[in-house]
Amino acid sequence: EPEVTQTPSHQVTQMGQEVILRCVPISNHLYFYWYRQILGQKVEFLVSFYNNEISEKSEIFDDQFSVERPDGSNFTLKIRSTKLEDSAMYFCASQTGRQETQYFGPGTRLLVL
Amino acid sequence: AQTVTQSQPEMSVQEAETVTLSCTYDTSENNYYLFWYKQPPSRQMILVIRQEAYKQQNATENRFSVNFQKAAKSFSLKISDSQLGDTAMYFCAFMSSGNTGKLIFGQGTTLQVKP
């Protein structure tokens, strides 16, 4: 069964460093998302991406964040200058159509020191 | 703005018993979608069940069923014959039919199934 994959599973970085989180969505999916879950809290929407552009972003998704789909398969989230409060689990999700079910990757646990 | 509320931070149930997790939401829309996702200790988000608001029939998926009350804006999840593997955090989520497809999640309910 096709699944969303994410790498790395864990990432430890120093405050101020850039990180890139990678996702490979399910191959026939067209809509892509990033969500964040700070430990013990709810899952929060960061950004949605369709047709090679951002379709919606949350207040959390400030200028330090960017997304791209460089090669038609990978979907990346970049944090330019990490802060302590960026420590969280980051989930990628994808879906075939806008109102279809979203399937999540296993997440990347980011720890900023 | 839409909101999702799960008022039970923690619940427990004996193995083989039935448990119901509560979820309420707020929206002014008529067409939308509701989901329950399970997050076991591995922290993977796994779809449990989906409900379309235009459908009056409650969704079922094996031991999992929902009680969807559109007028009351309530969407509870019933787990029958609970199994140890059901131990997880459960999130209720809302998706508008009109926006970009983003999910709005509740705070989650931690369910412990006891042997």
Side-chain angles (χ1 to χ4, degrees):
Chain A
E1 185 176 332
E3 57 184 20
V4 178
T5 60
Q6 290 184 242
T7 54
S9 58
H10 294 79
Q11 174 101 38
V12 181
T13 190
Q14 295 293 321
M15 188 171 57
Q17 295 296 303
E18 174 183 286
V19 295
I20 297 176
L21 309 183
R22 293 183 168 79
C23 168
V24 179
I26 296 172
S27 62
N28 64 336
H29 287 192
L30 301 174
Y31 294 79
F32 313 109
Y33 304 84
W34 283 101
Y35 294 87
R36 180 181 83 175
Q37 184 185 30
I38 294 172
L39 186 64
Q41 299 185 22
K42 68 178 179 180
V43 180
E44 300 172 290
F45 167 76
L46 290 177
V47 65
S48 59
F49 191 87
Y50 169 70
N51 200 25
N52 282 321
E53 60 182 21
I54 290 173
S55 45
E56 186 176 356
K57 58 184 180 180
S58 71
E59 293 177 353
I60 304 168
F61 196 89
D62 61 22
D63 292 344
Q64 294 300 313
F65 291 88
S66 63
V67 290
E68 64 175 2
R69 197 152 184 258
D71 57 11
S73 61
N74 290 287
F75 178 50
T76 63
L77 173 69
K78 181 192 289 186
I79 310 175
R80 288 188 186 80
S81 179
T82 50
K83 304 170 189 171
L84 296 177
E85 55 264 36
D86 293 328
S87 294
M89 193 78 158
Y90 289 81
F91 291 102
C92 172
S94 69
Q95 63 188 156
T96 53
R98 190 161 50 88
Q99 294 164 10
E100 298 301 317
T101 298
Q102 284 180 32
Y103 292 91
F104 284 74
T108 293
R109 190 186 299 260
L110 176 65
L111 178 61
V112 182
L113 301 176
Chain B
Q2 294 95 352
T3 58
V4 178
T5 302
Q6 293 178 249
S7 59
Q8 305 154 315
E10 295 181 356
M11 292 193 73
S12 64
V13 63
Q14 291 296 130
E15 195 175 8
E17 298 292 308
T18 296
V19 63
T20 299
L21 308 184
S22 300
C23 172
T24 59
Y25 58 94
D26 188 25
T27 184
S28 58
E29 299 180 13
N30 191 47
N31 293 322
Y32 48 88
Y33 305 84
L34 296 164
F35 304 83
W36 280 97
Y37 281 88
K38 170 185 176 180
Q39 187 180 45
S42 66
R43 300 193 74 184
Q44 170 95 46
M45 295 288 286
I46 302 166
L47 176 71
V48 176
I49 203 162
R50 165 193 169 108
Q51 174 80 44
E52 291 84 357
Y54 62 83
K55 290 185 178 179
Q56 292 186 340
Q57 187 173 6
N58 289 324
T60 62
E61 197 69 46
N62 300 317
R63 297 182 296 107
F64 299 89
S65 61
V66 297
N67 183 6
F68 173 50
Q69 300 290 326
K70 190 172 184 180
K73 297 179 183 174
S74 170
F75 182 61
S76 61
L77 174 70
K78 185 170 84 170
I79 306 174
S80 303
D81 186 25
S82 298
Q83 300 176 358
L84 296 178
D86 296 333
T87 292
M89 180 164 269
Y90 287 81
F91 289 97
C92 177
F94 172 97
M95 179 194 292
S96 166
S97 65
N99 69 8
T100 57
K102 71 178 181 185
L103 289 169
I104 299 169
F105 286 87
Q107 305 93 318
T109 296
T110 299
L111 176 67
Q112 177 78 39
V113 180
K114 298 180 178 178

